[in-house]
Amino acid sequence: MEALEVPEHEHPLTLVDLQLQYEEEEDDDDADGEGGDPVKKEGFSEVACGRCDQVINMYHRHYYKCMKGGPSCDKVSLHKFCGELSTSLESTFHPHPLTMFIFPSNWSCRICQSKHQPDEMCYCCFECRFFIDLKCAVEVGKKIIHHPCHPHSLICAISQPILCNCKACGREHKGVFFQCTICDGFTIHSECAFLPKSLLIQHTTDDAFFHTHPLTISYSFPTEDQKAKHYPRCRVCGGDFSIENLWIYKCDKCMYYAHLNCATSRREPFMSIFLPAGSGRTHKNYKDIDYPRLVHLPFPDETYSIPKHLFFQETRTSYEVNLKHMSHPHPLILVDHAQTSSLLPVVCHDPMKKTQLLCTGCLRPIMETMSFYKCAQHCNFALHEWCTRLPPKIKNHPGHPKHTLLLMYSNALPFFFGVFYCEVCRLPCNGFAYCCVECGFYVDVTCGFIPKEITHQAHPNHLLSIVQGKITDTCHMCFRYYAGGPLSFRCNTCHIFIHPECALLLAETIRHKYDKKHPMNLSYLPIENHKSEYFCEICEEDLNPHDAFYHCQDCAQSIHTACAPLILECETETYSDYQRGIYGFVNIKFGEIHNTNSHQHPLLFAQGRKSDGQCEICLYTLQFKMIFKCIECKFAIHYSCCVRHNTI
């Protein structure tokens, strides 16, 4: 029989073949002709291996034992593979060779963290005091993985489920983990470790979400990469990727990103709100019968608005041709291109022809298909037909319920040139207002009739209710924290907010001179298979496709929602300065001429451009601001300077 010298015992150990020994005993018993079961009576009794503490049984076949028979010798038994362990070990968990050694002091295994008493056998690096017990040395090869997420080998040191934090998904949960023995605290759950390198999200979420391309796993999402992609949100839960070292699934081509758990599991609690089929569409959380006057947004195109939605009468067949309205000193004449009764030739709002005509009341475009009134003396004054019938009072306004709001026309407002800041959207406006003079509360016409509940395609099938207080999260459309006024729309199921101006003022489709062939559609997410970087065709600046924007799929052209109203001159864009989802002067009607004693020529109320230079009073740039400028010389001043210094 083979003999083995081991450092932990004074005598050589003999190799025993259990199966051979068992067969000999069985043959002898049969030869004697005795009854009974000799294997059970006199067969091999299981013993523990002196190195790994695991049981030695018949199925191991070979083991080493001391045959001397002394009191200490009966306890010395080793698995064959444990006994034949090399006296030195090259480990993937330590850069130096390890030496088999009986260590004289207390020590702990760096793999399984087990504590050991003095004079127990181990593999040791004396220089680093790095220890591995023999049990782990035997099992380590079976439990090591080399994972692309980490530069060092990972080991499953504890095969029983434990409660631990996973560095892949960022969750604390119970299960079997792989860990790095070099890097403290690096553990990944076995389920995460063996996730597929690519998947179709429709398969893993029971078709609640859909994407054309497979999503590939990424073991981090560095902040620099997130910045380059405009800080995207998870397409499933809407959360951010603030912890850059967590794994994600992604399609870089389409800017589609999802958290690990979101892309792979229907077990997330919030997933119950989604339909079993669709592209992240939610279950309807309201009944139509309970909300008969519910406003569904966005409106189809620029011809729609809140005042038109409420006051337009389709059944009305005739209107007054001549009208005297309190909002204007001159007579008004009906313009109705659908009938021959129009007495006044007027150029209407048409982005394709670069012509602009805004209603003086609600500041929304007047299109050729609409009936409206125009000043008979060719003033820059026009009113939608329905804006001539606005109610004189509004009771219980959500932003000011304690007092009734009264309709006040532009010519009666106590503000210079009729410009006030709406208390709801906080945008400047020189149209009609509903106001509480006592409290100094003024709102534009659209915000005056702000609905208490809406639905919106940016967050379909869920009711959005008006709530008081500035929002503490980003708007779901423009992804900006700027809360505007005291009101916002909120989904009580998903805790999603939308600014009133983003919800009410952005149409579903627009026509623009930059794309004469196709309408541009409002998009809330990056476009699938988009082949180039996103930039705005108007201001020519970078465009974040995770914000709402207008896009033509056929021409691959995109426009900021804030730049979309600009049909006359691109130099009047405000996105560069204000960085809002809405054009800064969407509620301002420019073009009025003002005569003043402080300057010899008439002044035009306009938006400042770079070419207008500096203000004559404060010397700051006029670009992006409301200004008065001379139409004959280079004189120009800020509107705010006029108000502050009472200049004109």
Side-chain angles (χ1 to χ4, degrees):
M1 293 186 178
E2 297 182 24
L4 177 69
E5 298 282 348
V6 292
E8 64 263 44
H9 192 60
E10 55 188 321
H11 306 137
L13 305 184
T14 302
L15 183 65
V16 178
D17 188 332
L18 290 171
Q19 293 184 11
L20 182 60
Q21 184 176 338
Y22 174 79
E23 289 173 356
E24 289 174 351
E25 292 173 354
E26 186 177 35
D27 290 342
D28 290 341
D29 292 339
D30 289 343
D32 293 338
E34 298 176 359
D37 188 348
V39 175
K40 290 183 180 179
K41 290 180 180 179
E42 302 176 5
F44 175 70
S45 297
E46 294 179 346
V47 295
C49 172
R51 288 187 171 177
C52 72
D53 290 330
Q54 299 295 312
V55 170
I56 301 173
N57 59 43
M58 282 289 298
Y59 299 105
H60 290 121
R61 183 169 179 173
H62 298 100
Y63 81 109
Y64 285 101
K65 69 174 292 187
C66 181
M67 296 296 191
K68 295 296 183 180
S72 63
C73 300
D74 292 338
K75 298 179 181 180
V76 180
S77 298
L78 304 175
H79 288 112
K80 183 176 183 294
F81 46 83
C82 289
E84 295 174 356
L85 284 172
S86 172
T87 56
S88 64
L89 177 67
E90 296 286 342
S91 172
T92 57
F93 300 102
H94 194 69
H96 306 143
L98 306 178
T99 303
M100 186 181 287
F101 185 70
I102 299 176
F103 199 73
S105 304
N106 293 330
W107 57 277
S108 297
C109 176
R110 291 294 296 272
I111 294 179
C112 67
Q113 311 303 321
S114 298
K115 298 184 182 301
H116 292 266
Q117 300 299 318
D119 299 325
E120 290 191 31
M121 184 71 67
C122 67
Y123 279 104
C124 174
C125 173
F126 299 101
E127 179 183 350
C128 305
R129 292 186 64 82
F130 183 92
F131 303 97
I132 298 178
D133 60 31
L134 299 190
K135 176 184 175 181
C136 289
V138 173
E139 297 293 327
V140 72
K142 304 175 184 178
K143 299 181 179 180
I144 292 176
I145 62 172
H146 301 274
H147 203 282
C149 74
H150 195 69
H152 308 134
S153 298
L154 306 178
I155 184 171
C156 180
I158 303 174
S159 57
Q160 297 299 318
I162 61 172
L163 185 65
C164 190
N165 184 270
C166 176
K167 293 296 185 181
C169 65
R171 302 287 184 88
E172 183 182 69
H173 48 107
K174 192 174 184 179
V176 177
F177 283 79
F178 287 89
Q179 70 181 65
C180 177
T181 60
I182 297 176
C183 304
D184 289 338
F186 187 87
T187 54
I188 58 173
H189 189 262
S190 58
E191 289 185 5
C192 293
F194 299 113
L195 283 172
K197 291 185 177 180
S198 65
L199 57 80
L200 288 170
I201 196 169
Q202 51 267 38
H203 293 169
T204 56
T205 60
D206 295 340
D207 289 326
F209 291 84
F210 178 86
H211 188 62
T212 304
H213 309 129
L215 305 183
T216 57
I217 198 166
S218 177
Y219 303 117
S220 67
F221 199 2
T223 302
E224 285 300 313
D225 291 351
Q226 294 187 48
K227 182 179 179 181
K229 302 295 183 181
H230 304 280
Y231 296 101
R233 298 294 186 106
C234 173
R235 288 294 188 92
V236 176
C237 72
D240 60 28
F241 299 95
S242 56
I243 305 177
E244 61 180 341
N245 290 325
L246 294 184
W247 300 4
I248 63 169
Y249 274 99
K250 66 177 183 177
C251 173
D252 271 330
K253 181 179 182 180
C254 302
M255 292 192 185
Y256 193 109
Y257 304 93
H259 295 123
L260 209 63
N261 287 318
C262 295
T264 58
S265 177
R266 287 279 294 177
R267 291 175 293 179
E268 299 296 323
F270 67 85
M271 293 289 280
S272 61
I273 69 173
F274 295 106
L275 293 170
S279 183
R281 296 182 66 85
T282 49
H283 287 284
K284 195 172 182 178
N285 69 351
Y286 66 93
K287 295 181 179 178
D288 292 327
I289 193 172
D290 296 332
Y291 300 93
R293 301 186 67 183
L294 187 63
V295 179
H296 301 283
L297 299 171
F299 287 125
D301 55 54
E302 293 177 285
T303 65
Y304 288 80
S305 66
I306 288 292
K308 179 182 179 181
H309 175 78
L310 294 175
F311 305 114
F312 175 63
Q313 299 174 352
E314 291 188 17
T315 57
R316 190 168 179 174
T317 57
S318 62
Y319 304 100
E320 292 185 48
V321 176
N322 297 291
L323 181 70
K324 181 65 177 177
H325 198 268
M326 293 178 61
S327 62
H328 193 64
H330 305 146
L332 304 180
I333 296 180
L334 176 69
V335 180
D336 188 349
H337 292 283
Q339 302 180 11
T340 58
S341 58
S342 177
L343 303 177
L344 190 68
V346 177
V347 177
C348 293
H349 189 91
D350 189 343
M352 310 310 291
K353 297 178 181 178
K354 302 182 184 180
T355 58
Q356 186 178 58
L357 181 61
L358 301 180
C359 173
T360 304
C362 68
L363 284 308
R364 302 280 67 80
I366 293 179
M367 316 292 278
E368 193 171 286
T369 56
M370 301 173 175
S371 298
F372 63 97
Y373 287 93
K374 188 76 174 67
C375 177
Q377 296 187 20
H378 306 287
C379 294
N380 185 28
F381 185 94
L383 283 178
H384 291 119
E385 186 279 327
W386 51 85
C387 285
T388 66
R389 296 183 284 105
L390 294 174
K393 299 179 181 180
I394 295 178
K395 294 182 178 181
N396 299 316
H397 187 276
H400 196 71
K402 61 182 179 180
H403 296 141
T404 298
L405 302 185
L406 304 178
L407 177 63
M408 189 172 287
Y409 303 123
S410 309
N411 56 2
L413 287 169
F415 302 101
F416 179 68
F417 228 63
V419 177
F420 65 95
Y421 280 82
C422 174
E423 293 289 342
V424 173
C425 66
R426 294 292 169 87
L427 291 168
C429 176
N430 60 351
F432 294 176
Y434 280 95
C435 65
C436 172
V437 178
E438 178 184 349
C439 301
F441 184 90
Y442 293 82
V443 293
D444 62 60
V445 170
T446 297
C447 292
F449 295 102
I450 188 170
K452 292 184 178 180
E453 294 93 13
I454 64 167
T455 65
H456 203 287
Q457 283 302 311
H459 188 60
N461 292 328
H462 278 192
L463 198 68
L464 299 170
S465 303
I466 202 76
V467 292
Q468 288 274 1
K470 294 185 177 182
I471 64 175
T472 56
D473 200 356
T474 55
C475 168
H476 193 62
M477 290 184 65
C478 69
F479 281 94
R480 286 166 177 81
Y481 281 99
Y482 178 77
L487 302 179
S488 57
F489 290 107
R490 176 187 178 187
C491 173
N492 294 322
T493 302
C494 307
H495 198 66
I496 280 174
F497 295 88
I498 297 181
H499 291 142
E501 60 270 27
C502 293
L504 302 176
L505 299 181
L506 297 179
E508 186 174 16
T509 62
I510 63 168
R511 297 304 302 264
H512 203 279
K513 62 181 181 179
Y514 275 78
D515 193 339
K516 297 182 179 180
K517 295 182 179 179
H518 315 108
M520 305 189 82
N521 298 312
L522 188 61
S523 177
Y524 311 103
L525 294 168
I527 307 300
E528 285 191 4
N529 296 311
H530 191 68
K531 296 180 180 179
S532 60
E533 296 295 324
Y534 290 90
F535 72 96
C536 177
E537 297 287 342
I538 294 179
C539 67
E540 297 184 348
E541 292 196 11
D542 196 29
L543 185 146
N544 183 352
H546 305 288
D547 299 348
F549 66 103
Y550 286 103
H551 184 78
C552 174
Q553 188 84 39
D554 297 311
C555 303
Q557 293 193 120
S558 304
I559 292 177
H560 289 126
T561 52
C563 295
L566 304 179
I567 62 174
L568 300 180
E569 297 181 48
C570 292
E571 284 191 33
T572 57
E573 57 91 9
T574 60
Y575 181 82
S576 302
D577 192 55
Y578 296 100
Q579 295 287 305
R580 290 186 67 175
I582 294 292
Y583 172 50
F585 301 119
V586 68
N587 285 336
I588 289 290
K589 185 173 183 177
F590 293 111
E592 291 286 341
I593 300 295
H594 186 70
N595 293 301
T596 174
N597 294 328
S598 61
H599 187 71
Q600 65 269 33
H601 305 137
L603 300 180
L604 174 69
F605 183 50
Q607 182 187 336
R609 299 177 299 176
K610 187 176 182 179
S611 59
D612 291 320
Q614 298 175 328
C615 174
E616 295 285 341
I617 296 177
C618 69
L619 302 182
Y620 284 103
T621 180
L622 295 166
Q623 188 179 14
F624 304 123
K625 308 299 181 182
M626 293 183 290
I627 69 170
F628 288 97
K629 66 178 182 178
C630 180
I631 56 178
E632 296 185 30
C633 65
K634 293 184 178 181
F635 178 86
I637 54 176
H638 287 125
Y639 167 86
S640 58
C641 288
C642 294
V643 175
R644 192 178 302 115
H645 298 282
N646 195 24
T647 304
I648 61 175

